Amino acid sequence: MLTQTYDNIEYIIIDGGSKDGTLDVIRKYEDRIDYWMSEPDKGISDAFNKGIALSSGSIIGILNADDWLSENQIELGVNALNMSSAEFCFGNLLFHDHTGAIRYRIDGDPGYMKVIHSKMPNLCHPTVLVRRTAYERIGLFDSNVRFAMDYEWLLRLHKQGGKGIYVQNLDGHMRVHGTSDISHIKALNEVRQISIRSASKN
């Protein structure tokens, strides 16, 4: 994360009151972090919203614990947005096992707008960079959504005319955990509920 080829980055860390040594790691790199906080939160959406509110940049990216960036990821995304009128960009997501080996990848879907009303398309959140103006226009993440907050926000943006662009060689990274299946099922259920509610408002 700290070795990005793009150097005009504001680093903000929102920690939910960790007791596992996370704060020791944060303090180790404190001189390179613009702001950090550690306190209980109301869930992932709440943590996302805190980070966005504290940021000052015109383009915002969100990274969860155990996700990481390719060294040129921010540069590629910023350049793509600067050369377009899109409100966000996205790429591909590579999944790694505990040894670091790549187990599989999900390619971003340039045609995501064709399916976003009924399911979460391949808009892999660790690869998404968003213009600040998009958050100012449609609001932050819904704190009532526990697992599919990225889908709810992206669908809301899409319904209000927001456009995204796929950047082919932009790769993000995520670690695969054996306990992630339960959360994945819950996220799918939330996506279904959100899409049904959205359709009923049309």
Side-chain angles (χ1 to χ4, degrees):
M1 183 69 179
L2 295 173
T3 59
Q4 288 295 300
T5 55
Y6 186 84
D7 59 4
N8 186 21
I9 300 177
E10 179 183 43
Y11 291 101
I12 297 172
I13 296 179
I14 308 298
D15 176 72
S18 296
K19 306 295 184 183
D20 60 357
T22 297
L23 298 187
D24 293 332
V25 176
I26 292 174
R27 292 188 180 101
K28 179 179 178 181
Y29 297 99
E30 196 165 16
D31 61 325
R32 302 185 65 183
I33 299 170
D34 293 275
Y35 182 88
W36 69 272
M37 63 186 299
S38 180
E39 65 179 23
D41 55 49
K42 299 175 183 178
I44 298 174
S45 295
D46 183 41
F48 285 176
N49 291 342
K50 287 179 180 179
I52 295 167
L54 288 165
S55 67
S56 62
S58 60
I59 296 174
I60 299 172
I62 297 174
L63 199 66
N64 288 321
D66 268 359
D67 300 345
W68 67 97
L69 308 176
S70 294
E71 288 190 354
N72 64 345
Q73 190 168 331
I74 301 300
E75 182 179 9
L76 290 173
V78 169
N79 288 343
L81 287 175
N82 285 341
M83 292 188 294
S84 76
S85 59
E87 289 193 272
F88 71 96
C89 68
F90 62 98
N92 317 300
L93 188 59
L94 281 61
F95 291 80
H96 301 252
D97 64 20
H98 68 283
T99 70
I102 298 172
R103 304 302 298 174
Y104 58 95
R105 64 179 279 152
I106 295 177
D107 289 334
D109 180 8
Y112 73 89
M113 65 289 296
K114 299 175 183 177
V115 298
I116 194 170
H117 286 286
S118 59
K119 68 176 184 178
M120 178 61 177
N122 291 348
L123 298 175
C124 304
H125 199 245
T127 73
V128 173
L129 289 179
V130 181
R131 295 188 192 275
R132 170 179 293 280
T133 52
Y135 289 112
E136 293 171 346
R137 185 163 69 85
I138 74 162
L140 301 177
F141 291 90
D142 186 341
S143 58
N144 294 314
V145 180
R146 305 292 294 178
F147 298 96
M149 66 290 297
D150 51 344
Y151 173 70
E152 189 280 332
W153 190 87
L154 288 163
L155 177 59
R156 192 171 4 122
L157 178 65
H158 174 74
K159 292 184 69 174
Q160 296 192 33
K163 298 291 193 301
I165 54 170
Y166 169 61
V167 183
Q168 187 174 10
N169 53 345
L170 191 158
D171 294 330
H173 304 267
M174 176 179 287
R175 206 174 306 280
V176 178
H177 292 288
T179 58
S180 63
D181 288 345
I182 294 175
S183 294
H184 181 65
I185 292 171
K186 290 180 178 179
L188 290 176
N189 287 334
E190 275 196 343
V191 166
R192 179 175 179 274
Q193 294 164 11
I194 290 165
S195 65
I196 291 172
R197 285 200 303 269
S198 177
S200 68
K201 294 177 182 178
N202 292 336

